[in-house]
Amino acid sequence: MAHAYTPGLKVVETALVRKQRRLPLAGEVLVEKGDKVKALDVVARTFLPGNVETVNVANKLGMPPEDIPKYMLVEEGTQIEEGQVIARMKQLFGLFTSKAASPVKGTVETVSNITGQVIVREPPMAVSVTAYIDGDVVDVVGSEGVDVECVGTFVQGIFGIGGEAYGEVKTVASGPRDVLAPEDIGPECEGKIILGGSLATAAALKKAIAVGAVGVIAGGFHDRDLRDFLGFDLGVAITGHETLGVTLVVTEGFGEMPMAEATFELLACCEGMFASINGATQIRAGVIRPEIIIPRPGEIMAKVGAEEEDESNLEVGSRVRVIREPYFGKLGEVTSLPVELQVLESESKVRVLGVKFDAGGKDVIPRANVELIESGRR
Amino acid sequence: MELSDVKTILATDCGSTTTKAILIKKEGDEYRLQVRGEAPTTVEKPAEDVTRGVLNAVGEVEELTGRKLIADHKVLVAEGKDEGVDIYMSTSSAGGGLQMMVAGVVKTMTAESAQRAALGAGAIVMDVLASNDGRLPHQKIEAIRRLRPDMILLSGGIDGGTISHVVELAELIGAADPRPRFGAGFQLPVIYAGNKVARPIIEGTLGEKTSLYVVDNIRPVLERENLGPARNEIHNLFMEHVMAQAPGYSKLMSWTAVPIMPTPAAVGAIIQTIAEREGFEVIGVDIGGATTDIFSVFQKVFNRTVSANLGMSYSISNVLAEAGLPDIIRWVPFPKSQLDERDLRDRIRNKMIRPTTIPQTLTELVIEQAIAREALRLAFVQHKELAVGLKGIQQERTISDAFTQTMTGETLVNMLTLDMLVGSGGTLSHAPRRVQAALMLIDGFRPEAVTFLAVDSIFMMPQLGVLSTVMPDAATQVFERDCLVRLGSCVAPVGNGKKGQTCLKITADWPGRGHVEEEVKYGEMARLPLAVDERVKARLDPVRPFDLGHGKGQTLEAELEGGVAGVIFDCRGRPLNLPQDETARVDALQRWLAALDVYPNHGSSEAA
């Protein structure tokens, strides 16, 4: 296969970032093309059909289903209140009365003379979407949402938990190799997005929640801590719906992993700036990566999100990062790209590359086990 | 062009990550694989057009053969010419494949039949709704809304039976007002395959809210399943609704001579073709990155299951979550003291988030293959639970049945009668030593008595499956000659005995060895080399209490078939119990690996 390597994640200082903000179904768009919006502004809203409750009227009245229309007090489409009697039957000249009441407020949707069930739909639920980033509305997507664009710093993580969050960046680690410990996090982190170094421990995350921090960014996170923190072993990597009180964005992987220096320096430079982050990750078809967006009006260097991405090729001299044991996390430079397949220690026969590590030493490793590092991409 | 005149066939499989193309040519009277090419699938951004990946993969075939296969940005079909191909066809599982919900009245009866119909058609079943599944109505409605399937199969009731329950399910589906995954403006396709008496009421309930299709009941009477009409309708709707909405598929559909099949349905088709031709009982497994599919034919009944969250990259962490770390570590031939649990968990997670990486060191390979054993085992447990006879039916019993106490709904899977076990998917097909694939299959499936093992060399079963629907002879020829890598027979006596006792005596005239009389002790494994296509008539004497299917201690005269892994004698007993004691376990694993020559240095490499 021509492209055997994994393209890296984006780490861009100033990029044109475009985000589509869409309702789950058609509704009302509250802004217009050209409007300036803030991250927390509501840009569109709609009403989802309410939940439904079924009332087994035939059972409650003790009659065959085909007879229930005769005893219904309300018709399909009628608005009813919680506890309102919707069917009644008098027996023995009115001495005994059987009745069925609605358990919820809502609308009678169907009355079935086959099953004897009445379906009551609760009032619609309001759903809205915010702009997510400070920027401009550049497109309106029918009655479903908008595209919001900003110029800013854009960093993709490899894994995250928790949904969208907003706050100022606060650098707590002194460098990309620092482990973020609970004692590093104080009351000054309230409402902030904490920048850590190589590892965020479960204890540090708990402390972040305790002081009211909204997000944590770190190079690595231990799987065992993830289990302890979530309370279960995460099976399938589809995250973003957790409501643990903090959003975590991991930039490198599992374990203690120094954050890539370029990533750390870039984020550290954004100290005090307002950022939007999202831990939502989907490692499946339709891959979604966690992200950090920091609006910074200025010169545009790359486009992200809206435009087609170019594929880049490995070349001798390319900067790479190893993404599998035994050299996980090491940086280096490609020294050779042999065409022939080579046999590894595991006896697998694969395409390889020669690499000279920045920290000294060299080896031959599978092409599939490196990520390309280049400007605008890590 | 008559199909008998077809000389060149191009077939592609658009997988979730890779699109694979194969070129088949007729040489004399026989169809043979020429070359294959592959390229990343392009269903998602930035390309969002499946045909780009197809053309890239076909372009690789073009380069390798020098034959012009692409013209005007499309596959060149030019019957009988020196360029292009006579016929082009494709399968697809890109974009998540076919995702369905099924509903039936009784969970273990019509709902289970509906599940089998959907799985057999190549779908991933996202949820099974049943009147008695224990969920409240609003919970079922919430599930329908949340999951957004590609289509729903609704069944329930035998023809002429009660209708109220199936109508109730239809009312719930209607109340959910479901929307399909693709195509916001389209109505969700719902296939009704239940009690025919309820059809007018179902049409009244769902006719306006959904795109309703009515087919014959999948369970017309309690004693019989009729899955064919529902499966055919699923395939039609897959083309019309799901594929037509996916990026680039309308174009791809216009290129192919036969309808695009869901990849698992195509694999099922080739497995069924082989089982029918050979009169075999067969199990096929495809262990992928996200899912593990298992196909079986027992008693001429085809079954397929997909374990949607058991796989070797995207889903590898779920294997860890479901099996638990101790069950994975038990297959690793090092003491636990050499394995740092925290480090091992992190390594597995890192494979999940960077799924395309491959094991460089031997330790990494050994750990990955240990995880594969558990993924296979867990997927097979799920398969056995669904590949069952019909439940709830009346059985005629003879006096002998009264002693065996067989019940309805027992699994059809019988490892003693299994003839062939075929593996595919990267972990099995690309194992550096073929005997590694053989041992993963044996440890994952635990075959009994005599079973022939094979792997799909380059995962071309999907393309051969779609080919088998129009040209079964061509598909079978390529399957036999180019697709299958024959690993060899595995002999595994059933039962457990005492340590050190003789389990099996083997007597045979063995090619290159002359007259052989070997004994294998209980708890041991052995391997005798026997080349591909070589066969040996052997007398196999299991020592009581061991059994090779003819009773404890009863002789079996069997023809053993050779392969790249030779003939494997697995005398570890069935059920297979690994030693509980840590030292004994590591010692046993090291002995087995050495006996079969599975890894260099018996699996030891860098400090784990």
Side-chain angles (χ1 to χ4, degrees):
Chain A
M1 196 157 56
H3 305 281
Y5 66 96
T6 313
L9 304 166
K10 287 188 182 303
V11 177
V12 191
E13 187 178 351
T14 47
L16 189 63
V17 184
R18 186 171 183 156
K19 287 280 151 189
Q20 190 161 82
R21 309 295 295 162
R22 211 165 172 168
L23 293 164
L25 68 163
E28 184 187 4
V29 175
L30 305 173
V31 291
E32 289 178 3
K33 190 173 173 179
D35 283 358
K36 289 208 176 298
V37 287
K38 289 283 185 191
L40 288 165
D41 289 351
V42 173
V43 292
R45 71 175 170 208
T46 190
F47 293 94
L48 284 177
N51 284 329
V52 296
E53 285 283 342
T54 53
V55 186
N56 196 330
V57 172
N59 254 4
K60 287 186 188 291
L61 301 192
M63 67 172 70
E66 58 268 28
D67 289 344
I68 69 162
K70 284 190 274 182
Y71 299 98
M72 288 299 297
L73 304 176
V74 290
E75 294 176 337
E76 287 180 5
T78 311
Q79 305 273 339
I80 52 173
E81 295 297 320
E82 183 182 341
Q84 183 177 333
V85 175
I86 56 172
R88 181 184 290 130
M89 182 178 71
K90 290 184 178 167
Q91 293 169 307
L92 282 178
F93 313 107
L95 284 175
F96 299 101
T97 304
S98 306
K99 57 188 178 184
S102 172
V104 292
K105 178 184 176 180
T107 310
V108 178
E109 184 150 304
T110 57
V111 178
S112 173
N113 58 1
I114 304 293
T115 62
Q117 307 256 26
V118 170
I119 293 178
V120 181
R121 190 178 291 279
E122 290 183 68
M125 295 171 287
V127 176
S128 58
V129 286
T130 59
Y132 176 51
I133 50 176
D134 291 356
D136 301 317
V137 177
V138 292
D139 202 4
V140 175
V141 188
S143 54
E144 291 182 25
V146 295
D147 283 0
V148 181
E149 211 170 71
C150 76
V151 173
T153 295
F154 182 76
V155 176
Q156 279 183 316
I158 189 92
F159 180 81
I161 49 175
E164 294 173 359
Y166 317 88
E168 286 175 14
V169 176
K170 169 124 190 88
T171 309
V172 169
S174 56
R177 296 177 181 279
D178 263 19
V179 173
L180 186 66
E183 53 273 23
D184 300 332
I185 301 168
E188 69 283 1
C189 294
E190 186 182 356
K192 303 281 182 0
I193 295 168
I194 297 169
L195 176 61
S198 60
L199 179 73
T201 60
L205 274 197
K206 283 176 185 157
K207 183 73 181 293
I209 294 168
V211 302
V214 296
V216 173
I217 306 164
F221 194 63
H222 281 303
D223 175 56
R224 207 168 57 183
D225 286 351
L226 180 69
R227 187 185 54 183
D228 293 346
F229 189 64
L230 292 177
F232 61 91
D233 230 334
L234 183 72
V236 180
I238 297 175
T239 67
H241 297 293
E242 301 77 18
T243 49
L244 299 162
V246 73
T247 291
L248 171 71
V249 176
V250 175
T251 60
E252 315 301 318
F254 286 89
E256 186 179 333
M257 302 217 167
M259 190 180 292
E261 287 196 12
T263 311
F264 185 84
E265 282 166 18
L266 182 58
L267 292 172
C269 281
C270 298
E271 178 75 14
M273 292 186 192
F274 182 81
S276 302
I277 64 169
N278 190 353
T281 309
Q282 180 173 317
I283 304 173
R284 281 278 151 140
V287 65
I288 298 170
R289 294 290 186 193
E291 62 188 12
I292 304 149
I293 301 167
I294 305 163
R296 296 170 76 179
E299 191 188 349
I300 300 164
M301 291 175 68
K303 285 189 172 184
V304 177
E307 300 296 317
E308 187 168 307
E309 298 169 29
D310 291 328
E311 288 180 351
S312 305
N313 286 310
L314 277 175
E315 290 166 358
V316 171
S318 294
R319 301 275 304 147
V320 291
R321 186 159 173 277
V322 186
I323 53 170
R324 177 115 193 201
E325 302 291 343
Y327 298 116
F328 203 127
K330 284 199 171 183
L331 300 170
E333 191 176 301
V334 176
T335 55
S336 63
L337 288 163
V339 177
E340 313 79 47
L341 303 182
Q342 290 198 17
V343 179
L344 308 174
E345 183 204 302
S346 61
E347 295 186 335
S348 295
K349 215 172 164 188
V350 297
R351 293 185 89 179
V352 296
L353 54 80
V355 61
K356 193 172 131 199
F357 298 115
D358 293 355
K362 56 182 184 175
D363 205 349
V364 171
I365 59 175
R367 289 192 195 186
N369 291 1
V370 299
E371 264 177 5
L372 203 57
I373 307 170
E374 48 184 317
S375 60
R377 186 175 287 180
R378 197 179 77 222
Chain B
M1 183 181 230
E2 293 290 319
L3 285 171
S4 55
D5 296 331
V6 168
K7 291 197 167 47
T8 49
I9 302 160
L10 180 69
T12 52
D13 171 44
C14 309
S16 52
T17 49
T18 313
T19 297
K20 286 129 318 206
I22 59 169
L23 180 70
I24 294 166
K25 270 180 92 174
K26 194 171 188 181
E27 292 174 346
D29 291 336
E30 209 176 39
Y31 289 91
R32 295 296 299 268
L33 172 77
Q34 294 299 298
V35 289
R36 86 189 277 268
E38 65 180 41
T41 295
T42 50
V43 168
E44 291 172 16
K45 285 179 181 174
E48 285 194 316
D49 180 354
V50 72
T51 61
R52 276 178 61 175
V54 167
L55 292 178
N56 289 343
V58 174
E60 213 165 86
V61 172
E62 199 176 57
E63 274 175 38
L64 292 166
T65 57
R67 187 184 177 96
K68 186 175 175 171
L69 297 173
I70 299 170
D72 299 330
H73 303 291
K74 58 189 273 193
V75 169
L76 178 60
V77 178
E79 294 169 358
K81 301 269 175 56
D82 290 336
E83 57 178 26
V85 289
D86 294 335
I87 191 167
Y88 169 60
M89 55 194 72
S90 189
T91 61
S92 175
S93 59
L98 169 61
Q99 302 186 3
M100 290 184 67
M101 283 184 91
V102 301
V105 170
V106 181
K107 196 170 183 188
T108 55
M109 294 167 73
T110 44
E112 198 170 279
S113 293
Q115 196 179 359
R116 276 193 284 266
L119 286 165
I124 289 172
V125 175
M126 307 164 88
D127 198 354
V128 181
L129 298 177
S131 300
N132 67 338
D133 66 11
R135 283 180 286 187
L136 295 169
H138 74 271
Q139 291 171 319
K140 289 176 189 164
I141 289 168
E142 160 61 19
I144 299 167
R145 273 195 198 155
R146 180 171 40 85
L147 292 172
R148 296 187 74 161
D150 292 321
M151 63 181 88
I152 295 177
L153 172 61
L154 169 63
S155 66
I158 57 170
D159 283 343
T162 171
I163 61 171
S164 63
H165 291 98
V166 72
V167 172
E168 188 181 316
L169 284 168
E171 285 171 358
L172 295 181
I173 292 169
D177 195 15
R179 290 274 167 265
R181 193 161 57 109
F182 292 124
F186 292 85
Q187 286 187 320
L188 181 82
V190 174
I191 300 167
Y192 176 65
N195 183 355
K196 63 182 180 188
V197 178
R199 282 178 191 171
I201 302 157
I202 299 288
E203 279 164 3
T205 312
L206 293 176
E208 284 182 13
K209 290 183 172 173
T210 66
S211 187
L212 182 69
Y213 299 81
V214 177
V215 298
D216 289 349
N217 194 348
I218 56 172
R219 202 81 180 256
V221 290
L222 215 48
E223 292 76 16
R224 187 166 64 84
E225 260 181 359
N226 177 33
L227 306 181
R231 278 184 183 161
N232 290 339
E233 196 61 39
I234 292 168
H235 282 163
N236 292 340
L237 294 175
F238 175 68
M239 289 289 290
E240 285 174 25
H241 283 257
V242 186
M243 286 288 90
Q245 307 297 332
Y249 275 91
S250 307
K251 209 191 309 178
L252 186 65
M253 282 156 67
S254 71
W255 297 355
T256 59
V258 292
I260 298 170
M261 278 179 96
T263 301
V267 177
I270 188 74
I271 299 254
Q272 284 181 88
T273 304
I274 301 306
E276 275 167 29
R277 285 188 167 234
E278 305 291 333
F280 272 176
E281 298 212 322
V282 92
I283 292 176
V285 59
D286 171 22
I287 179 165
T291 63
T292 296
D293 282 34
I294 296 184
F295 309 83
S296 72
V297 180
F298 283 94
Q299 298 171 35
K300 298 186 177 170
V301 178
F302 168 69
N303 270 292
R304 171 201 170 231
T305 50
V306 54
S307 300
N309 292 321
L310 293 173
M312 290 305 296
S313 60
Y314 298 112
S315 301
I316 195 166
S317 288
N318 198 53
V319 180
L320 171 69
E322 285 199 23
L325 202 57
D327 271 8
I328 290 170
I329 290 177
R330 67 184 170 148
W331 298 108
V332 178
F334 334 118
K336 280 183 193 158
S337 56
Q338 283 185 29
L339 288 168
D340 176 352
E341 184 194 323
R342 194 173 71 174
D343 176 55
L344 185 56
R345 294 183 70 97
D346 287 339
R347 281 189 196 209
I348 295 171
R349 284 271 179 224
N350 282 323
K351 169 76 180 182
M352 172 189 79
I353 55 178
R354 291 184 162 102
T356 55
T357 60
I358 51 180
Q360 179 176 353
T361 66
L362 192 55
T363 302
E364 291 259 305
L365 181 78
V366 168
I367 291 169
E368 207 158 291
Q369 294 189 345
I371 298 167
R373 285 170 167 80
E374 284 303 302
L376 293 171
R377 182 183 67 79
L378 290 168
F380 192 40
V381 168
Q382 292 180 4
H383 185 79
K384 282 189 279 193
E385 283 169 2
L386 199 68
V388 293
L390 300 183
K391 290 170 186 160
I393 61 173
Q394 285 193 333
Q395 286 185 311
E396 284 184 22
R397 283 173 179 269
T398 64
I399 193 76
S400 64
D401 293 330
F403 293 104
T404 56
Q405 289 294 310
T406 54
M407 291 167 32
T408 61
E410 289 206 335
T411 186
L412 296 170
V413 174
N414 182 352
M415 299 310 278
L416 273 172
T417 58
L418 174 68
D419 296 295
M420 191 178 200
L421 176 55
V422 188
S424 80
T427 310
L428 293 168
S429 296
H430 298 150
R433 293 188 186 188
R434 295 291 188 192
V435 70
Q436 291 165 1
L439 194 55
M440 279 187 273
L441 287 170
I442 293 169
D443 289 343
F445 287 86
R446 327 263 164 101
E448 297 171 357
V450 180
T451 312
F452 185 71
L453 309 177
V455 288
D456 177 355
S457 58
I458 52 169
F459 194 49
M460 61 171 125
M461 282 204 276
Q463 294 97 319
L464 298 183
V466 65
L467 180 61
S468 74
T469 60
V470 283
M471 298 174 66
D473 289 340
T476 314
Q477 283 165 11
V478 180
F479 183 78
E480 290 279 330
R481 304 301 299 264
D482 300 311
C483 173
L484 275 195
V485 173
R486 293 162 181 278
L487 297 173
S489 294
C490 169
V491 179
V494 176
N496 283 288
K498 288 184 183 151
K499 194 181 171 193
Q501 84 164 93
T502 300
C503 172
L504 179 69
K505 293 177 183 169
I506 308 143
T507 313
D509 290 325
W510 208 273
R513 292 189 166 224
H515 186 70
V516 167
E517 286 187 21
E518 298 262 354
E519 282 188 11
V520 186
K521 295 209 178 318
Y522 170 61
E524 299 302 328
M525 297 188 85
R527 178 159 81 131
L528 287 174
L530 189 64
V532 174
D533 289 338
E534 281 190 330
R535 289 162 196 270
V536 165
K537 281 204 162 65
R539 178 190 159 100
L540 303 169
D541 292 302
V543 177
R544 283 179 74 88
F546 293 99
D547 183 357
L548 281 171
H550 288 201
K552 289 177 182 173
Q554 297 300 306
T555 300
L556 174 69
E557 301 279 353
E559 187 176 67
L560 306 177
E561 203 178 329
V564 288
V567 176
I568 293 171
F569 299 93
D570 179 1
C571 291
R572 298 175 297 176
R574 296 288 188 272
L576 172 58
N577 301 313
L578 268 65
Q580 293 294 312
D581 173 70
E582 168 78 0
T583 313
R585 179 187 64 83
V586 173
D587 185 52
L589 285 172
Q590 296 272 11
R591 285 201 316 275
W592 301 335
L593 297 175
L596 305 190
D597 194 19
V598 178
Y599 298 115
N601 309 320
H602 312 323
S604 306
S605 72
E606 42 141 4

